[in-house]
Amino acid sequence: MIATGLSLALAVAISAAPGADEHLLAGARAFRDGHFDAALVEFRVAERLGASDAGAYAAASLVQLGRPEEAVEAFASSPPGDDDLLDWYRALACYEARLYTSASRLAAKLQLSGPKAAAAVEKLRADLARVLAPEPQQASIDWYFARCDDLRQRGRGALAAAYCREAADLGERRTDRYGVARASAVLTRLDPGARHEVKP
Amino acid sequence: MKTRMLRAGALAAFMWAGVGRADDAQQPPATAPQHDAAHAAMHDAMQQHMATPPADMAQMPGMRNRAAGDAAGAQEHAREMQQLRDQARERAMKHGAQDAAMARGDDAAHAAMHGGMHQGAGMMGGDSSSQQQGAGMMRNGDMHGGSGGMMPAGGGGMMGGSQTGASGGTTGGTGPSTGTPPGAPAGAPMMK
């Protein structure tokens, strides 16, 4: 009884310790200074201490570190639409991970202010329009399926689902809808209901 | 007694935790700005580092196109060049080992070569251990230095008849057993 009381008291005392915001701030400073690896560490710590938005900031750091697939995974924990700037980084992560239809959907909704940001968004949209203009080839869709299978076997379900969704979206751009049924079946196995939940 | 102490300890811990929580309850005005400051700082930082993607980076995977073909061709070429380098290194090492074996030989035909090597080696190191250094170069697979370094009167012959090399060749490297004409690069016949 007494031991339980002591444990509870200590747990309460420890959980009351501040820190998440400090790590969030330290991460922001490191990001500003271009120390993206340090920023990533700070955001990861802040996330573990309960800062809900630290995951998206960690994802932005991963984009800057040239790790787009990990960034896509990290962004999966927070839905798009809350912050245009974060959605820009999300779109960039998708773009660099070759998730072009996802990037295109995100880029279409972006409304960033400032000439530099507007120009960057326009460029991204134009590049995506160029790559998505021709009808996708079966070989391309198969590449996404292969990536999906590989990631699924490695236990990276969220990223695997993103690649299978991309295969489905590309298949829908074809008249024969190549791969759409297969992608739906895989997605149902991966995460029932994820087809519409995570889709940007 | 023990029980009393434990109860007192537990009470103290609860009171301490309560005070801590009371402090926290008074602090939200202080922590909320810190949270907002962190978000504002991160927003600024993200805007500051907002970069455009490289031009024409987007490429649908699984498609055979010129860029992919070029990249594959470059990789193939690099692989072939690496194989050639490996083969050349292997040849040089083999030749180096042969030359070293000849250098260690004690028959009359090789005596002159020994002399030449000492002269040539003198250029490299200036002591009697230079012969070993020459062999070492070949074992390291240095194609040029290895072959040249082990030539009878090699230093001089290979260097185009410098003073040191010429004297080395005369005294030892160009004996009748080697059959190397004076003035010609003593190592030339051995080049493979």
Side-chain angles (χ1 to χ4, degrees):
Chain A
M1 175 76 179
I2 291 165
T4 309
L6 271 171
S7 305
L8 185 66
L10 285 172
V12 169
I14 289 166
S15 69
D21 288 344
E22 286 162 15
H23 287 287
L24 213 54
L25 196 56
R29 285 181 185 141
F31 195 103
R32 180 198 61 199
D33 296 340
H35 302 141
F36 303 114
D37 45 356
L40 177 62
V41 172
E42 294 292 349
F43 291 137
R44 289 286 194 218
V45 174
E47 192 178 15
R48 285 188 186 173
L49 289 172
S52 58
D53 32 15
Y57 293 156
S61 305
L62 285 164
V63 172
Q64 292 286 7
L65 286 167
R67 291 155 64 181
E69 289 194 343
E70 289 170 72
V72 169
E73 283 176 312
F75 271 124
S77 62
S78 61
D82 289 343
D83 185 330
D84 270 348
L85 201 51
L86 272 175
D87 283 349
W88 159 258
Y89 279 89
R90 193 191 300 264
L92 212 54
C94 290
Y95 174 86
E96 289 177 6
R98 295 183 167 186
L99 299 167
Y100 295 128
T101 59
S102 301
S104 180
R105 271 193 300 274
L106 287 161
K109 292 175 189 167
L110 286 175
Q111 289 184 325
L112 291 170
S113 57
K116 185 185 165 190
V121 173
E122 273 313 304
K123 191 186 166 309
L124 183 67
R125 284 178 185 152
D127 216 8
L128 287 165
R130 178 186 59 76
V131 76
L132 290 172
E135 183 176 83
Q137 292 185 5
Q138 287 189 6
S140 299
I141 295 170
D142 288 341
W143 184 90
Y144 284 98
F145 276 126
R147 194 85 192 96
C148 174
D149 284 346
D150 181 45
L151 289 162
R152 188 169 51 82
Q153 282 168 15
R154 293 182 196 193
R156 297 172 73 177
L159 193 58
Y163 278 100
C164 263
R165 267 195 304 279
E166 188 73 17
D169 291 339
L170 290 172
E172 282 173 357
R173 288 169 173 259
R174 289 173 57 92
T175 48
D176 62 359
R177 292 169 54 83
Y178 175 78
V180 173
R182 179 184 165 190
S184 297
V186 175
L187 282 166
T188 308
R189 277 204 309 272
L190 271 171
D191 187 7
R195 178 95 175 87
H196 299 290
E197 275 177 18
V198 189
K199 191 174 177 178
Chain B
M1 183 65 185
K2 265 187 186 173
T3 312
R4 228 179 254 174
M5 280 180 72
L6 280 170
R7 279 181 186 166
L11 188 64
F14 273 117
M15 284 174 70
W16 178 53
V19 168
R21 295 186 80 179
D23 284 349
D24 287 344
Q26 288 165 5
Q27 277 181 354
T31 51
Q34 192 183 21
H35 192 77
D36 291 344
H39 285 288
M42 187 55 192
H43 225 257
D44 286 347
M46 285 197 298
Q47 202 138 27
Q48 185 186 326
H49 288 284
M50 194 177 163
T52 53
D56 297 334
M57 180 189 151
Q59 202 169 300
M60 198 56 81
M63 290 170 67
R64 298 289 296 176
N65 56 28
R66 194 182 156 206
D70 287 350
Q75 280 181 343
E76 183 61 30
H77 179 67
R79 225 182 347 260
E80 285 171 7
M81 293 304 291
Q82 185 60 42
Q83 279 176 356
L84 285 174
R85 278 195 295 273
D86 290 345
Q87 286 168 3
R89 185 180 296 117
E90 204 171 307
R91 273 200 304 273
M93 288 174 75
K94 200 192 288 181
H95 295 166
Q98 285 171 356
D99 290 348
M102 285 175 72
R104 281 194 295 270
D106 54 1
D107 60 330
H110 292 146
M113 193 183 294
H114 271 272
M117 282 190 67
H118 280 294
Q119 293 295 332
M123 287 175 66
M124 291 188 278
D127 59 16
S128 59
S129 68
S130 298
Q131 183 181 340
Q132 289 303 316
Q133 287 175 1
M137 285 171 72
M138 284 184 293
R139 289 195 192 101
N140 286 341
D142 185 327
M143 291 165 62
H144 306 292
S147 301
M150 290 304 290
M151 295 303 161
M158 293 294 284
M159 296 274 209
S162 71
Q163 285 296 323
T164 317
S167 67
T170 306
T171 53
T174 56
S177 60
T178 60
T180 308
M190 296 188 67
M191 292 285 280
K192 291 171 186 169

